[in-house]
Amino acid sequence: MKTKTSTPMKTKFVIINAELQQNNLEVENAHTQITKEAILLLRKFEVAKFRSWVNVEHCMDSKQQQLVREWISFFWNITLSNNKEGKSYIFISIDESAIEKFGSGLTNLLLRKAYQITQAQNETLNIEYSLRVNFMPRDIHSFFYRRLVDGETDIVSIFTEQHLAS
C-alpha cells in the first residue's frame, strides 16, 4: 500500500511584514526623490527630446510581478522593482550615447544625489543597499524613443519639462 504525500503548492505571494513594508516605502520615496532630481537636471537642455521623460506604472499591469515603476529619459532608466522576497530596489542604468555626447558630468550629478537620498540620515532607514547602479552604459535612448513612439497608455505617461534658461 502506498501512502500519499502532499506536495506543497508553489505560490507567487510574498509575506510582507511591517518592517519590510516600511523599508519598501522608504525605497519608493527615494525612487520618487531621485526621479525628481533627474527631472531638474533635464530642464537645462534647450532641445525638447533631452527634456522629455516617460513614466511607466508597471504595478497597474496585472502581468507584471516584480517591476513597480520605471522612469526613462534619453540619459537614464531609473527602475523601482521588487525581488522575489518582496524587497524593493532602485536600479539606475546609464545610456551609452548620452555619455559619449555629453560626458559623464550629468550622470555624476544624478548619482551623487541618489546616494545622498538613500543614505541614512537622522533617524531614517539606511536604504543605500537598495541602490543598484549599472555602470556599464547601455542603449537606453532607443528604448526611450520606442516608448515615445508607442505613446501614452493606461500605464505609460509622457512628459516634457520646461526649459530653464541659465
Side-chain angles (χ1 to χ4, degrees), residues 12-113:
K12 293 183 180 181
F13 294 108
V14 176
I15 297 174
I16 299 178
N17 60 27
E19 183 180 333
L20 181 58
Q21 189 173 14
Q22 177 61 35
N23 187 77
N24 287 352
L25 183 59
E26 291 289 331
V27 174
E28 185 174 356
N29 288 338
H31 178 268
T32 300
Q33 289 178 44
I34 292 167
T35 57
K36 284 181 181 177
E37 291 294 334
I39 291 166
L40 291 175
L41 291 171
L42 298 180
R43 296 179 83 187
K44 69 180 187 175
F45 289 97
E46 291 181 16
V47 179
K49 74 176 178 179
F50 299 134
R51 293 192 322 269
S52 298
W53 54 278
V54 176
N55 191 59
V56 183
E57 291 289 342
H58 291 288
C59 59
M60 296 173 65
D61 182 359
S62 61
K63 297 174 195 166
Q64 198 51 254
Q65 299 195 358
Q66 291 181 313
L67 289 177
V68 177
R69 185 174 306 118
E70 215 172 351
W71 185 95
I72 312 159
S73 73
F74 180 86
F75 303 93
W76 312 290
N77 182 330
I78 306 171
T79 303
L80 175 65
S81 68
N82 295 327
N83 67 7
K84 292 178 182 177
E85 289 77 39
K87 197 170 193 178
S88 294
Y89 289 87
I90 301 166
F91 294 89
I92 299 178
S93 295
I94 304 161
D95 184 75
E96 184 174 26
S97 67
I99 294 287
E100 289 171 5
K101 188 174 234 165
F102 298 105
S104 61
L106 192 68
T107 295
N108 291 344
L109 289 171
L110 176 70
L111 294 178
R112 188 175 297 121
K113 283 294 189 180

Side-chain angles (χ1 to χ4, degrees), residues 48-50 52-55 72-74 141-152 156-160:
K49 74 176 178 179
F50 299 134
S52 298
W53 54 278
V54 176
N55 191 59
I72 312 159
S73 73
F74 180 86
H141 73 277
S142 294
F143 180 56
F144 167 66
Y145 289 146
R146 197 169 337 122
R147 285 290 188 180
L148 288 178
V149 169
D150 290 346
E152 293 189 329
V156 176
S157 301
I158 300 171
F159 303 90
T160 301

Side-chain angles (χ1 to χ4, degrees), residues 127-153:
I127 56 169
E128 192 171 308
Y129 76 87
S130 70
L131 188 58
R132 305 293 170 101
V133 179
N134 184 355
F135 288 103
M136 295 298 295
R138 305 173 77 94
D139 182 11
I140 304 296
H141 73 277
S142 294
F143 180 56
F144 167 66
Y145 289 146
R146 197 169 337 122
R147 285 290 188 180
L148 288 178
V149 169
D150 290 346
E152 293 189 329
T153 66

